[in-house]
Amino acid sequence: VVYMDELNDDRPCYFAVEGIYMMLPKLTNVTIVDMPFKKKDLSNHTSIIEDIKQKGRIVYICCYPDQFRQLMLHTWHQGLNSGDYAFFYIDVFGASLQESHFLDPQRPWKRSDADDAIAKEAFKAVMIITYKEPENPEYGDFLRDLKNYSAKHFNFTTESGLMNFIPAGFYDGVMIYAQAVNQTLAKGGSLRNVTAVVMEMWNRTFYGVSGVITIDENGDRENDYSLWDMADSEEGNFQIVYNYSGSLKKIIPVPGLEIHWPGNAIPKDVPACGFENENPACQANFTMLEITSIVVSFILLGVTIASIFIYRKLKLEKELAKELWRVRWEDIQTSNLEKTLRSAGSKLTLSLRG
């Protein structure tokens, strides 16, 4: 799980990946490793990519769309987009797919620059996770009223997009609370008993403007999600291929569409040879020819080293032979007495000069 976390903002990616980090190990036998980074760390993409190589093959990433695109360009240059890795981009509000942000909402890789061709290839290994936009008619009516009210009373233009899911969810939350208050009073309870009111909201199903809403036993809403994939690899268009229903706890495929895995196969969570090539089956097995070549190479290396030592020895002996004609004065002196007299004469001469 790779995510940007600045620590000094509202930490949207931290809370977006928290559920994945906490729940996946409980659901399946998967080892989760978190890799937080700061915006300034993106200047060193190599470090992030090396960490990915050493720790995983199924990668969840959360950051801004432009930063994600830059990261994917670097993964392509490092050869990570051929099928051994799959990248899930967590973009719950679909910022990378919104027309107000980018020219073509179905092509999150496109920026109309020199990197578009590489980005398109790199994004073939990418799937995008977003909230599922409600399809019930009440949601459409709510958005129409919201846009009209915002323009009339606040002179504000409400754009289309998944961000509108927030006011719809807030509206449904108020309506659930109102029902819980009424049910608490109907049972003879008091509004001062906050616990009783809250318990009326938990572990129940409610139909609101954003569709069917399920609140679990912990008071959390079971959200719906969509999975986007590059369904058209020629044009590079992303489309929804699967939807997840939080109420049904079921993944629902979109008819006529399927996931295009990089390399046409689901990447393994652990590479066949291990992250550090520790699998004995992947260790080098030498043939007889290779063993013979290695032995001959060592023999040649030994002969070469021995030849160098012999050459240096012969050269040294030759140089010593050149010095044999030189004779020191002491070697031709006839007796020790002469040496003594010569030494005494030298000392006397020095004393007279002094």
Side-chain angles (χ1 to χ4, degrees), residues 20-275:
I20 295 175
Y21 183 81
M22 298 298 294
M23 296 305 298
L24 272 183
K26 298 179 181 179
L27 299 176
T28 57
N29 186 23
V30 176
T31 301
I32 305 294
V33 178
D34 66 315
M35 295 170 49
F37 66 89
K38 298 184 182 299
K39 186 176 181 180
K40 63 180 181 180
D41 296 335
L42 287 177
S43 59
N44 185 14
H45 291 85
T46 303
S47 176
I48 297 175
I49 293 174
E50 286 301 320
D51 284 343
I52 291 175
K53 288 181 179 180
Q54 296 174 9
K55 297 178 180 179
R57 290 298 181 266
I58 309 298
V59 187
Y60 292 88
I61 302 178
C62 181
C63 57
Y64 295 123
D66 285 334
Q67 295 171 344
F68 177 71
R69 182 176 183 264
Q70 287 298 318
L71 184 60
M72 293 310 301
L73 288 173
H74 282 80
T75 61
W76 187 87
H77 287 295
Q78 293 290 329
L80 272 63
N81 304 83
S82 59
D84 292 332
Y85 298 81
F87 299 91
F88 290 86
Y89 180 42
I90 302 173
D91 184 16
V92 290
F93 290 110
S96 62
L97 299 162
Q98 292 183 16
E99 190 172 2
S100 59
H101 291 75
F102 307 112
L103 298 177
D104 193 337
Q106 288 189 328
R107 300 176 182 178
W109 49 268
K110 189 174 182 180
R111 297 294 186 275
S112 297
D113 59 18
D115 293 325
D116 270 356
I118 295 178
K120 177 183 174 183
E121 294 300 316
F123 269 65
K124 289 181 179 180
V126 172
M127 282 166 276
I128 303 175
I129 300 174
T130 68
Y131 284 131
K132 180 182 180 298
E133 187 168 22
E135 299 175 344
N136 54 307
E138 292 84 358
Y139 183 73
D141 295 338
F142 174 82
L143 291 186
R144 185 165 49 252
D145 294 340
L146 177 66
K147 292 179 179 180
N148 293 335
Y149 191 87
S150 300
K152 180 179 179 180
H153 296 279
F154 301 100
N155 193 27
F156 177 79
T157 301
T158 302
E159 298 179 352
S160 300
L162 285 172
M163 290 296 292
N164 294 323
F165 184 73
I166 296 177
F170 180 79
Y171 178 87
D172 286 337
V174 172
M175 297 302 295
I176 294 176
Y177 175 74
Q179 286 192 10
V181 168
N182 291 333
Q183 291 173 356
T184 301
L185 294 176
K187 295 179 180 179
S190 171
L191 295 182
R192 294 182 178 180
N193 188 352
V194 179
T195 302
V197 176
V198 170
M199 294 305 296
E200 289 292 337
M201 300 171 62
W202 288 14
N203 200 24
R204 63 175 297 175
T205 300
F206 169 83
Y207 189 84
V209 297
S210 57
V212 178
I213 301 170
T214 299
I215 308 297
D216 65 15
E217 62 276 6
N218 298 316
D220 296 322
R221 175 175 178 172
E222 299 286 358
N223 287 310
D224 299 337
Y225 296 94
S226 293
L227 182 67
W228 299 67
D229 186 36
M230 189 184 289
D232 184 355
S233 59
E234 294 295 327
E235 297 295 330
N237 294 329
F238 273 70
Q239 298 181 39
I240 297 174
V241 293
Y242 280 91
N243 290 305
Y244 173 77
S245 172
S247 301
L248 302 176
K249 298 185 182 300
K250 184 179 180 181
I251 298 176
I252 304 172
V254 175
L257 295 175
E258 61 181 11
I259 295 176
H260 292 79
W261 294 99
N264 297 319
I266 300 176
K268 297 180 179 180
D269 187 50
V270 177
C273 292
F275 290 105

Side-chain angles (χ1 to χ4, degrees), residues 304-320:
T304 302
I305 294 174
S307 300
I308 292 174
F309 278 107
I310 294 173
Y311 170 76
R312 292 185 63 184
K313 183 176 183 297
L314 293 175
K315 184 178 180 182
L316 180 59
E317 290 178 350
K318 184 178 181 180
E319 291 177 352
L320 290 175

